[in-house]
Amino acid sequence: MDAKRIDVNGTAISYYDEGKGEPLVLLHGFCGSKDYWARVIPLLAEDFRVIAADLPGHGGSGLPEGEPSIERMAEAIKGAIDELGLEQVSLFGHSLGGYVTLAFAEAYEEKLKSFSLIHSTAGPDSEEGKKGRDVAAGKIDKEGVESFIDGLVPKLFAPGEKHQDEIQLAKEIGYRTSAEGAKASLKAMKQREDRSHVLKSTKVPVLIVAGEQDQIVPPEKSFAVKGSNIKQVTINDAGHMSMYEAPDELAEVIRGFLKE
């Protein structure tokens, strides 16, 4: 896959653009990149136009100036979608990408045909979680990004020895996140709002995917809001990284949701 870049208000956004048909946009999680979706993109590109973007401060995307926030990330993704000339998309956000997706849905719902949270939650950080963000930023300052990623990534996968190769791949993607980009995202996540009201009030179809063994966002946190337009799916044996742990199943879930 060849990466492309567009300029959004002076910030470069890097993305993949594969396949033809109805457009869907994939957003990765914290210290990931568009490469998180490398196993899922070819499966979905058989039926759809798949755009996987690097969030600001990750992968090949720049970091906008000013105070970091989830809303500013959503604004950058909106700018990229506008630059690509897309009227409406289905937006799928993994973890941090899910927080960005909810902020996008709150501000720009007219741009959405549907949206999805994958291993994510509408709830805010707990007080303990906020302290953890500060500890993480301190660790990055003290020990660097690589040491931080080495500690973070194994916890993203279901417990056990099953996915060692995938853990290494995810680590290598994480190493490419700048310290500035990682710390900006930690600050944005710490300060994010509770967006449960977005799920309660939206009129568009919503897909929520949880991993049965997710140690970061357990299913009960993902599924806290229910509604007639909200489809909930649990992927068995997966942790926080079903795009690596069960890519075929995740692609099938996404395809089924979009075809409904």
Side-chain angles (χ1 to χ4, degrees):
M1 288 181 290
D2 294 324
K4 302 177 180 182
R5 287 172 76 138
I6 39 179
D7 183 277
V8 177
N9 301 323
T11 301
I13 299 292
S14 178
Y15 65 101
Y16 293 134
D17 191 345
E18 301 287 323
K20 289 184 170 64
E22 185 184 315
L24 62 101
V25 176
L26 304 175
L27 303 178
H28 59 81
F30 175 56
C31 286
S33 82
K34 59 189 178 295
D35 289 311
Y36 265 15
W37 302 101
R39 295 179 179 184
V40 175
I41 292 169
L43 301 172
L44 293 174
E46 293 169 14
D47 299 294
F48 305 100
R49 179 181 177 185
V50 185
I51 295 151
D54 284 336
L55 289 169
H58 292 75
S61 289
L63 191 62
E65 288 180 15
E67 188 68 10
S69 72
I70 298 297
E71 294 79 10
R72 293 193 73 169
M73 287 186 174
E75 194 181 322
I77 297 304
K78 160 75 159 51
I81 288 168
D82 287 346
E83 285 289 327
L84 289 167
L86 300 172
E87 288 296 314
Q88 276 196 320
V89 301
S90 290
L91 186 59
F92 293 77
H94 165 241
S95 198
L96 164 60
Y99 309 150
V100 176
T101 296
L102 279 167
F104 189 107
E106 183 173 48
Y108 317 112
E109 190 171 271
E110 74 282 355
K111 298 292 290 185
L112 293 177
K113 195 166 182 188
S114 64
F115 69 88
S116 172
L117 308 183
I118 298 173
H119 311 303
S120 194
T121 176
D125 272 359
S126 64
E127 288 310 310
E128 187 186 358
K130 288 177 182 177
K131 286 178 190 154
R133 305 289 187 198
D134 292 335
V135 169
K139 186 175 173 73
I140 290 168
D141 277 335
K142 199 169 161 189
E143 300 173 22
V145 167
E146 285 205 13
S147 173
F148 173 69
I149 293 295
D150 285 342
L152 170 73
V153 167
K155 298 175 195 163
L156 303 180
F157 289 77
E161 299 299 310
K162 203 169 159 189
H163 294 289
Q164 295 309 307
D165 291 346
E166 288 80 7
I167 287 171
Q168 190 54 39
L169 276 173
K171 281 185 180 181
E172 283 162 17
I173 289 168
Y175 296 154
R176 299 198 287 271
T177 311
S178 68
E180 294 71 27
K183 288 195 296 179
S185 291
L186 284 165
K187 191 170 188 181
M189 289 190 289
K190 176 186 169 182
Q191 295 173 344
R192 79 183 189 279
E193 298 170 20
D194 184 346
R195 286 201 162 86
S196 301
H197 65 276
V198 178
L199 288 179
K200 288 172 184 168
S201 64
T202 186
K203 299 293 184 279
V204 302
V206 177
L207 169 68
I208 300 179
V209 178
E212 180 193 30
Q213 298 187 49
D214 193 331
Q215 303 171 82
I216 309 297
V217 183
E220 61 271 19
K221 276 180 83 173
S222 291
F223 297 151
V225 178
K226 293 175 172 50
S228 59
N229 59 324
I230 298 175
K231 180 177 183 179
Q232 299 180 343
V233 177
T234 303
I235 296 187
N236 295 329
D237 301 324
H240 196 65
M241 299 286 276
S242 61
M243 64 286 298
Y244 281 118
E245 297 168 286
D248 294 325
E249 190 175 343
L250 178 61
E252 204 45 54
V253 167
I254 291 172
R255 181 185 286 107
F257 168 70
L258 290 171
K259 293 211 161 167
E260 273 172 29

